[in-house]
Amino acid sequence: MNITQKIISKHLLSGQMKAGEEISLKIDQTLTQDATGTMAYLQFEAMGVRKVKTKLSVSYVDHNTLQSGFENADDHKFLQTIAAKYGIVFSPAGNGICHQVHLERFGVCGQTLIGADSHTPTAGGLGMLAFGAGGLDVAAVMAGQPFYLIMPNIVKVNLKGKLKGWAGAKDIILELLRLLTVKGGRNKIFEFAGEGVKFLTVPERATITNMGAELGAATSIFPSDLITKEFLKKQDRPSAWKEISADKDSSYDEELEIDLSALEPLIACPHSPDNVKKVKELKDIKVNQVCIGSCTNSSLNDMLLLSALLKGRKINKDVSLVVSPGSRQVLSMLAKDGALANIIDSGARILESACGPCIGMGQSPKSEGVSIRTFNRNFKGRSGTKDAFVYLASPVTAAAAALVGKIIDPSKIFTKKPNIKIPNKYIIDDAQFQKPSAKLAKTEIIKGPNIKSLPEFAPFADALKCSIVIKTGDNISTDDIMPAGAKVLPYRSNLEKISQFTFSAMDADFYQRAKSFEDSIIIGGENYGQGSSREHAALAPRFLGVKIILVKSFARIHLANLINFGIVPLTFENAYDYDLLNAGETMVFEDIKQRIKDNESIIAKIGDKEIKVKYELTQRQKEIIFAGGMLNLIKATIK
Ligand code: MIC
Ligand code: SF4
């Protein structure tokens, strides 16, 4: 067996490990962050369970740490109290970005993890099988339910040779994005192998598995070997290690190879993580901002490298360099080592250990500004500035840009690659985690006035007449459907309020128009709903009357979220029928419920036009949709 099969077979509750079949898995650990967590815990609370049923569940606060009003701070209090009551570890603001902290303090080789955040596969760097999921799926797992998934194809990525020159882990994943695009990883698990693996540290592996999310992959995973052992030993968690490797004769559904020695520094150009070019091909692009951090590149390794590169140098006067170390551990070690001073002295601005600019929580670039970021997403507008140009690159490429003020091949300004030495022991101080206890279980849950319970959704209708409320193109991200940023994130626990922002960056009238229709449908292209796991991108349309989404294809997590909230996901039988449909038209779906029940094909009528649409729903998913969403179904079973 390969690594994925080994872990799945140990956790398989139903189904067969055959690509395309629905399987269900026992999940050992869950994680949530505050932007998805408030909703997830409201849903968990509604399930009426006394205590989480996982081996470990952690609730992080790292996204909404700007406290420009009472809302975010109220959310933090709610998360702290509900964690105490239900036996969840609470990691307050300041501890760091969920994925970085989870690697450091909680991940266990060979275990399963699901997280209410699309970058949960970061833990694959430790040899965990880790999936991003919607908050409701995470809540259900905390309540003891299995995690359902369509068994993906397993792809072996053979890393040949060793990185040379200024190429780093980020360039490996950018190369994969260049080769495969943001849709290339759908229904796939990427398993890394080959001699190149042994030259990559755990944080470097995690940079790669983190950004596998941008390929649309279900997850990505590395073997757990002596390098993993060393990392966990330095984290004072030796018992979290166990060796996991693929059997010599293991087989894969697909294979591909990357020659590490041939890689050069790469950069993803606006406005998509797969718009990848060689850095040296980009000439004379002036840079206004450089941001270093995020769950992709904020480890101690990344920060020490940055510090060595900036040592004794000053950044360009026209650049604002902001640096956010990924965790309290990283920041504290940088400070004690003195390496932080090199970064500060170069002219950088130090931000707290949190998601920050990655999710538009501050540091929006200037109008038409060029920002080089070590992050993982550069969708248009995500930075908070609609007309900004965001590029994604490694910390080395980002540091070079900060010093020179333009995009430049690192070899032009740096001579020798610094040799980074990680101390024999990380600084271990878990004092800021709130760990569950019998006393804490008596805590009273505190909900501020902005925290509103979810409305009840009606069960599915027998027939539907839906107005086309919007027609979108390909690769619509959940950032397009439901923007984040400082203005919107405070309403993650207030559906009525947040729904006013649905599609707001693309179509300012969407909200009013959706409200004026009784039932509506969204038409889209390929890879609809790529990007984040935020279930608000499904919940808000549902709240505004969207009953069906008809597209050429869906991204995995968003598809699961749509079903969870009772929206029917349909695809075109013939992709060219997409061209026949126009916003404002009415589509009639006669007997839709009965047809889905009987597995019959569906014909939609639009005036005198007819088009054939299809669906792939398991019996379980049909039941969720017919009940009007998973919460209704779970409540009915509990009653
Ligand atoms: C993101 O990177 O888009 C986020 C913010 O981390 C999201 C989760 C969210 O929207 O809260 C993700 O990736 O799932
Ligand atoms: Fe946070 Fe950005 Fe990572 Fe999402 S991608 S978890 S916003 S750092």
Side-chain angles (χ1 to χ4, degrees):
M1 283 195 276
N2 55 45
I3 299 170
T4 310
Q5 289 164 335
K6 284 187 184 178
I7 303 181
I8 290 186
S9 63
K10 284 229 166 70
H11 292 84
L12 195 63
L13 295 176
S14 68
Q16 280 184 38
M17 280 199 294
K18 256 177 66 194
E21 285 211 7
E22 187 174 70
I23 55 169
S24 71
L25 296 177
K26 163 117 194 70
I27 298 297
D28 300 310
Q29 301 191 345
T30 64
L31 70 79
T32 56
Q33 38 88 342
D34 51 314
T36 52
T38 46
M39 196 54 90
Y41 292 112
L42 285 170
Q43 291 160 349
F44 175 76
E45 192 185 22
M47 291 175 190
V49 183
R50 214 175 48 82
K51 196 174 172 292
V52 284
K53 305 233 164 106
T54 46
K55 286 190 180 141
L56 173 83
S57 289
V58 190
S59 168
Y60 294 94
V61 176
D62 55 0
H63 280 62
N64 302 340
T65 58
L66 274 188
Q67 287 157 231
S68 46
F70 63 91
E71 293 90 349
N72 289 346
D74 281 2
D75 279 352
H76 303 172
K77 198 47 164 180
F78 166 66
L79 290 169
Q80 183 180 8
T81 53
I82 199 159
K85 184 162 173 79
Y86 290 110
I88 297 154
V89 176
F90 178 66
S91 176
N95 268 12
I97 306 174
C98 55
H99 309 302
Q100 174 65 27
V101 181
H102 210 79
L103 271 187
E104 293 169 358
R105 305 305 308 141
F106 299 108
V108 176
C109 309
Q111 290 202 353
T112 50
L113 162 74
I114 69 162
D117 192 280
S118 63
H119 291 103
T120 305
T122 311
L126 262 187
M128 279 194 103
L129 194 68
F131 300 96
L136 187 48
D137 281 332
V138 177
V141 163
M142 289 191 290
Q145 305 277 323
F147 174 59
Y148 292 89
L149 171 83
I150 305 295
M151 179 72 199
N153 280 321
I154 306 171
V155 185
K156 177 179 183 180
V157 185
N158 192 31
L159 299 179
K160 195 180 136 200
K162 196 176 167 183
L163 288 168
K164 269 196 347 223
W166 293 99
K170 182 64 157 261
D171 302 301
I172 302 179
I173 186 66
L174 287 175
E175 172 68 0
L176 273 170
L177 277 154
R178 187 184 71 78
L179 290 170
L180 304 175
T181 81
V182 291
K183 321 188 278 213
R186 279 178 313 156
N187 307 321
K188 292 182 183 168
I189 293 179
F190 289 88
E191 191 173 306
F192 289 84
E195 57 170 333
V197 168
K198 63 174 186 283
F199 303 116
L200 295 171
T201 61
V202 167
E204 286 174 316
R205 295 172 184 185
T207 294
I208 297 169
T209 53
N210 171 283
M211 248 186 123
E214 276 51 65
L215 293 164
T219 191
S220 305
I221 190 164
F222 271 82
S224 166
D225 55 12
L226 294 178
I227 294 174
T228 326
K229 185 178 186 183
E230 176 82 0
F231 174 81
L232 288 168
K233 203 173 124 216
K234 289 186 179 185
Q235 289 287 352
D236 204 16
R237 301 198 296 119
S239 61
W241 182 74
K242 120 166 159 214
E243 185 176 4
I244 310 169
S245 57
D247 293 333
K248 283 229 160 50
D249 54 352
S250 54
S251 65
Y252 293 83
D253 298 300
E254 290 170 47
E255 292 195 21
L256 61 100
E257 183 166 273
I258 298 197
D259 181 359
L260 299 190
S261 63
L263 279 186
E264 294 181 43
L266 298 172
I267 188 161
C269 301
H271 298 285
S272 179
D274 60 2
N275 189 11
V276 175
K277 304 226 161 65
K278 286 187 180 158
V279 175
K280 69 176 186 210
E281 282 170 12
L282 302 187
K283 299 255 154 47
D284 293 326
I285 299 180
K286 221 173 137 7
V287 171
N288 309 101
Q289 183 192 53
V290 174
C291 304
I292 299 180
S294 94
C295 56
T296 321
N297 280 112
S298 61
S299 65
L300 183 64
N301 301 52
D302 284 328
M303 293 294 149
L304 288 177
L305 177 61
L306 176 71
S307 161
L309 294 173
L310 295 180
K311 189 173 179 183
R313 302 186 187 226
K314 300 287 177 207
I315 59 169
N316 182 279
K317 291 237 162 11
D318 291 328
V319 173
S320 163
L321 168 65
V322 295
V323 179
S324 29
S327 67
R328 190 186 294 280
Q329 183 186 68
V330 173
L331 183 53
S332 160
M333 289 185 73
L334 276 181
K336 293 200 171 117
D337 175 87
L340 185 61
N342 298 334
I343 303 178
I344 298 174
D345 294 347
S346 74
R349 303 159 65 183
I350 308 298
L351 303 181
E352 74 171 319
S353 297
C355 299
C358 178
I359 190 61
M361 294 304 266
Q363 306 303 327
S364 300
K366 77 173 190 68
S367 294
E368 296 179 18
V370 171
S371 179
I372 314 296
R373 301 175 164 211
T374 64
F375 306 168
N376 46 37
R377 291 187 173 141
N378 60 345
F379 303 137
K380 201 170 174 44
R382 181 172 158 105
S383 65
T385 304
K386 261 193 185 167
D387 56 9
F389 297 91
V390 176
Y391 293 75
L392 308 173
S394 71
V396 173
T397 304
L403 291 170
V404 176
K406 57 182 194 178
I407 299 179
I408 185 166
D409 190 89
S411 66
K412 292 263 176 329
I413 68 153
F414 300 129
T415 44
K416 206 166 145 267
K417 198 163 185 182
N419 193 9
I420 300 308
K421 248 194 98 42
I422 300 295
N424 281 337
K425 233 177 165 356
Y426 287 95
I427 294 174
I428 311 296
D429 179 357
D430 287 345
Q432 300 311 320
F433 293 101
Q434 169 189 289
K435 300 219 167 135
S437 71
K439 191 168 151 229
L440 279 178
K442 301 201 181 84
T443 306
E444 190 196 330
I445 298 171
I446 301 176
K447 287 184 192 154
N450 182 49
I451 300 177
K452 308 264 192 257
S453 297
L454 276 180
E456 294 251 344
F457 290 135
F460 195 64
D462 294 330
L464 279 171
K465 200 167 144 193
C466 300
S467 309
I468 301 180
V469 60
I470 190 170
K471 182 178 175 183
T472 72
D474 290 345
N475 295 323
I476 289 297
S477 72
T478 49
D479 277 285
D480 296 320
I481 305 168
M482 177 54 73
K487 287 195 200 90
V488 186
L489 281 183
Y491 302 116
R492 283 285 180 98
S493 37
N494 185 338
L495 181 57
E496 192 173 344
K497 195 82 200 228
I498 205 168
S499 65
Q500 297 172 17
F501 295 92
T502 316
F503 280 110
S504 57
M506 282 176 68
D507 176 352
D509 303 327
F510 180 90
Y511 172 70
Q512 287 307 341
R513 203 168 53 248
K515 284 207 20 166
S516 71
F517 297 138
E518 193 164 334
D519 289 329
S520 54
I521 177 168
I522 292 173
I523 306 297
E526 298 280 5
N527 201 23
Y528 181 86
Q530 71 159 329
S532 93
S533 67
R534 65 192 69 149
E535 51 194 359
H536 304 76
L539 255 172
R542 170 73 212 249
F543 181 70
L544 297 176
V546 174
K547 298 285 158 52
I548 303 179
I549 300 204
L550 169 60
V551 299
K552 292 182 185 165
S553 63
F554 288 98
R556 178 188 66 91
I557 306 179
H558 189 59
L559 174 68
N561 287 341
L562 292 174
I563 296 169
N564 280 350
F565 295 105
I567 297 182
V568 187
L570 298 178
T571 51
F572 291 98
E573 177 81 46
N574 302 306
Y576 53 73
D577 282 342
Y578 167 90
D579 300 326
L580 297 178
L581 301 174
N582 303 301
E585 288 177 327
T586 306
M587 299 183 75
V588 179
F589 297 85
E590 284 164 3
D591 296 332
I592 181 165
K593 185 170 174 186
Q594 195 58 43
R595 292 190 153 267
I596 294 179
K597 244 190 201 155
D598 299 341
N599 265 337
E600 278 177 34
S601 62
I602 299 177
I603 308 281
K605 294 192 178 134
I606 313 102
D608 50 13
K609 291 180 281 196
E610 280 193 352
I611 65 162
K612 229 175 165 183
V613 297
K614 51 183 188 177
Y615 51 88
E616 268 177 56
L617 296 169
T618 63
Q619 191 50 34
R620 185 188 66 86
Q621 291 171 327
K622 287 181 186 176
E623 276 163 27
I624 295 174
I625 290 176
F626 296 156
M630 175 139 98
L631 218 46
N632 287 354
L633 197 66
I634 293 181
K635 277 191 208 153
T637 4
I638 288 171
K639 264 178 214 156

